[in-house]
Amino acid sequence: MAAAGEGTRSSRRPRQDPPRRPPRDGHGKLLFKDGSYYEGAFVDGEIMGEGRRHWAWSGDTFSGQFVLGEPQGRGVMEYKAGGCYEGEVSHGAREGHGFLVDQDGQVYQGSFHGNKRHGPGQMLFKNGDKYDGDWVRDQRQGHGVLRCADSSTYEGQWHSDVFSGLGSMAHCSGLTYSGLWINGHPAEQATKMVILGPEVMEVVQGCPFSVHVQLLQDQGEIAQGESGRVLQISAAVRYVQLPAYSEVSFFQVDRDSQETLIQTPFGFECIPYPVSSHEAGVLGPRATKGAAETAMPLPGGDQELDSDATHGQEDTLSDQLARGCVPCCPGACQRVQQGRAAFTDVLLGPPPPGYHPFLFLDSLHKKAGSRSRGGAHPRAAPPTTPEPPGGSRPEGRAMEERTAAAAYPGEYVVMIRDVTTPPFLGRTLPTAFKHLRVVANSSAQRPHVLEEGAEASGGRQATYSCSPEPPVPQ
């Protein structure tokens, strides 16, 4: 650009002019000693009007309007390094509205000032991202919308070319965040997950329960500006049980069903265990040898979804569990809404195939009679009886069947994993754990029903019951 003024000065010094002087008026060509040239209109011996100017030192060429030797008005600048500009210029610089293609093939259309992108404009980046908004001296600043090639979208405030201020992002994973951004990062982003309830949650054998999850910020506040994160529920059983809490000491696992031990924050190890919900089916240890190749790997174990499961069968979930079936479980995942998620009607099923329970010595005599009457293997499904007329079963019979197709009393762990794909801004939340104790079902015992988020008396344990509390006498 500076060479334009240099060419004008040289035309005024006779000793530096080429042998052929330019015409005072009309069309002509002016050559410079460094190899630069101008070809176009002249007025009173000055470069004025439409023409074409080439600068030898840069290799750039401008075709368009000139005033006193400088590009002024509209024109097209072709750059030797690659790319071009078409639009308005002033004193040789981009000024006003124009269309710029840089050497990387990126395209900008909008306002310029001082040769830089400045004001409203649209940019198509080489990675496929598109930006439409405000610019200040070649940087995105003010309000703008970024539509990424992966379908993520951000709309809000910018500063120094990054998200800064209030803005909303709809991530390609389905996660949305709306709130404050600082230096390109959400200021109120979730950093951890917690499972509500007492430190040890007690559940009656064979009874469904609910798991309520909250996403928290660093300061401990709920990340209400975040929704859509995908959470997956899974379970594990303590590998070596304590006699005080279980009739089963541990599970012997078949060689072809070996599972990696899961480390828990409670000071003991677990192995994966199937967990189900009413709508979803069962999520747990692999039921077939080839399932590991098709399922999503989970940290700390080989817990997977069985792709061989069937859908739409008429038999009940209890019947499926009793047969050791592990149906597909799309509903084992829930999306967060305003920093919260809930898994309802969660149920621990019977031990999966390949898990053989070992009983404590003091329980062998108790189990001997039930084995001779109910079957040869503690994992076998109990004999079923025809349903009474009308298609309904007595409540006591239904409870017995649920208990027979449920987990043994003992210590378990419920885990909530962040399986959002791809991870939001490259970050996955750490897994949340809840210590769960399954207690034997007793008709004489009516446990207290814990409300959502409420702590049991003492603040340590709470028991969830299948049956409601009896009415309070008036």
Side-chain angles (χ1 to χ4, degrees), residues 58-61 76-86 94 99-107:
S58 65
D60 299 341
T61 302
V76 176
M77 180 72 77
E78 300 177 27
Y79 301 101
K80 181 181 180 181
C84 66
Y85 169 78
E86 180 178 358
R94 296 186 291 265
F99 183 90
L100 174 66
V101 180
D102 65 18
Q103 59 185 1
D104 295 323
Q106 302 181 128
V107 179

Side-chain angles (χ1 to χ4, degrees), residues 27-51:
H27 185 275
K29 185 173 184 179
L30 178 63
L31 302 177
F32 300 93
K33 286 185 176 181
D34 65 353
S36 301
Y37 67 87
Y38 167 79
E39 183 176 7
F42 289 86
V43 176
D44 293 332
E46 295 286 352
I47 298 176
M48 188 79 69
E50 291 288 334

Side-chain angles (χ1 to χ4, degrees), residues 154 163-168 177-182 184-189:
Y154 171 84
F163 312 147
S164 189
L166 294 178
S168 300
Y177 171 84
S178 180
L180 182 65
W181 297 75
I182 299 178
H185 299 282
E188 301 166 354
Q189 179 183 9

Side-chain angles (χ1 to χ4, degrees), residues 246-375:
S246 178
E247 298 176 346
V248 177
S249 58
F250 61 90
F251 289 99
Q252 180 182 4
V253 182
D254 291 344
R255 182 181 300 273
D256 58 353
S257 301
Q258 290 292 334
E259 299 288 348
T260 304
L261 292 178
I262 300 174
Q263 301 295 328
T264 71
F266 311 120
F268 56 83
E269 297 177 328
C270 291
I271 55 176
Y273 196 87
V275 60
S276 68
S277 66
H278 178 70
E279 302 87 357
V282 179
L283 177 70
R286 57 176 175 264
T288 59
K289 192 171 183 180
E293 300 178 359
T294 58
M296 176 186 300
L298 299 178
D302 295 335
Q303 197 159 355
E304 298 164 354
L305 295 174
D306 181 16
S307 60
D308 297 330
T310 59
H311 297 272
Q313 296 182 357
E314 297 298 330
D315 51 358
T316 64
L317 178 61
S318 298
D319 295 332
Q320 296 178 22
L321 294 174
R323 295 199 313 270
C325 297
V326 185
C328 183
C329 186
C333 296
Q334 294 286 346
R335 286 194 180 270
V336 172
Q337 294 296 328
Q338 296 182 338
R340 298 176 175 86
F343 296 84
T344 58
D345 293 328
V346 180
L347 183 66
L348 297 175
Y355 282 37
H356 307 292
F358 270 52
L359 303 181
F360 287 108
L361 293 178
D362 58 359
S363 65
L364 292 177
H365 297 289
K366 300 178 183 178
K367 291 292 183 180
S370 60
R371 286 182 181 177
S372 61
R373 294 190 301 269

